[in-house]
Amino acid sequence: MNILVLNAGSSSHKLCCYAIPDGLIDGPTAPLAPLWAAQLDWHPKQERVDINIEASHLTYQTHHAIATRQERLASVIQTLWDGPTAVLSSAKEIDAVGHRVVHGGTDYQQSVVITAAVKATIDRLSEWAPVHNPINLEGIELMEQVLPDVPQVAVFDTAFHSQMSVVAATYPGPYAWFEQGIRRYGFHGISHQYCAQRAAQLLNRPLAELRLVICHLGNGSSLSAVKQGHSIDTTMGFTPLDGLMMGTRSGAVDPGILVHLMRQGQSADEIDQLLNQESGLKGISGISNDLRVIKRAIEDGNPRASLARDLYLHRLKACLGSMIMSLEGLDALIFTAGIGEHSPELRAAVCSSMAYLGIALDEKK
Ligand code: ADP
């Protein structure tokens, strides 16, 4: 079965085509390498789109003037069966398209075949994920136009957290908030779920026996507490702004700060911009949202870069503590995403502060 996957973001479209062997559909084994992968990076200010396509040990890079997103996406998808990167004989060999959709609200607890009603719900939920859901929906509609006969499936970032207890999901504001849907949803669920399954496999233990904390540390960062294969707590909340400090997002801050800023005359849009784009590693360092750049600045003696790194670590430890308390124990600590995967220094700094919990780092490994 060939599945094309689209992760549609505001500045990029990432696509992968996987040939899923029979019997694999119910759970991951070792990570499956895609047959074909493509990325479109949109640079509207420079009126340019960078396209990278990889297939069968062949990498193909081009830069184009921006045409419509649909035209560019259609031409990239066509390289699946046309030209040097072709891995299929025709579009007919694609059995389904999977879309990452950020917010499924309380409407979706698992993946769903996309219909007009599903699209209307994703659109309605844009109110709660204005940066993500409209772009995800646009991706679905683009794909429907390019591959009209192929079933499209929405896979929600919120779904893995949808079994959280009411206690974990409720914000201690007025109860009416909960009734209005203002509650913790949690995000990055697709990553947290995969990591939980894969960790159980690598540990060679049933997932149902494990208490896991999963640290998804990328530009967006969140932690989850996974017990018996279910997310029972997570740091992101009603929106992907809650919880841990991130690349450009603040994570949790005293809500009184927002009231203070509003009283000083700042608008909702201005505060939104501050919290989502001007905060986190970038806001504190004043240099970059990228930990690699911050690391180099620390080496050059930049004190705000040091503060940004130390604050990130401090916040990460606080989030970790709260996840471990929810789990009442810990069998494995898992790191993933850009920082989690590529920063051994940060992993070591976290683990060395957890020796009293029985974590001992093997420096050689
Ligand atoms: P996104 O949330 O955008 O999907 P990623 O998971 O790709 O983000 O993570 C991107 C971030 O990972 C970068 O902004 C950078 O901070 C971090 N990163 C990537 N490689 C390294 C590295 N070698 N060392 C430290 N941080 C890294």
Side-chain angles (χ1 to χ4, degrees), residues 14 100 188 216-221 247 249 281 289-292 295 336-340 342-345:
K14 295 176 189 160
R100 176 202 183 192
H188 290 147
H216 178 109
L217 311 177
N219 219 351
S221 298
R249 284 174 249 171
L281 290 171
N289 62 321
D290 191 319
L291 198 60
R292 286 165 292 193
K295 221 172 93 182
T336 189
I339 297 173
H342 299 296
S343 179
E345 299 92 344

Side-chain angles (χ1 to χ4, degrees), residues 18-77:
Y18 292 94
I20 313 279
D22 287 346
L24 197 75
I25 211 80
D26 292 329
T29 54
L32 208 59
L35 282 181
W36 171 99
Q39 181 158 338
L40 295 90
D41 289 302
W42 305 94
H43 304 282
K45 279 189 192 145
Q46 291 97 340
E47 299 185 350
R48 195 185 83 224
V49 53
D50 297 341
I51 297 174
N52 190 67
I53 303 170
E54 288 177 33
S56 322
H57 309 296
L58 197 138
T59 300
Y60 180 73
Q61 283 179 328
T62 53
H63 310 281
H64 292 271
I66 290 185
T68 66
R69 284 186 184 241
Q70 191 198 332
E71 274 171 16
R72 283 287 170 247
L73 200 63
S75 67
V76 166
I77 290 170

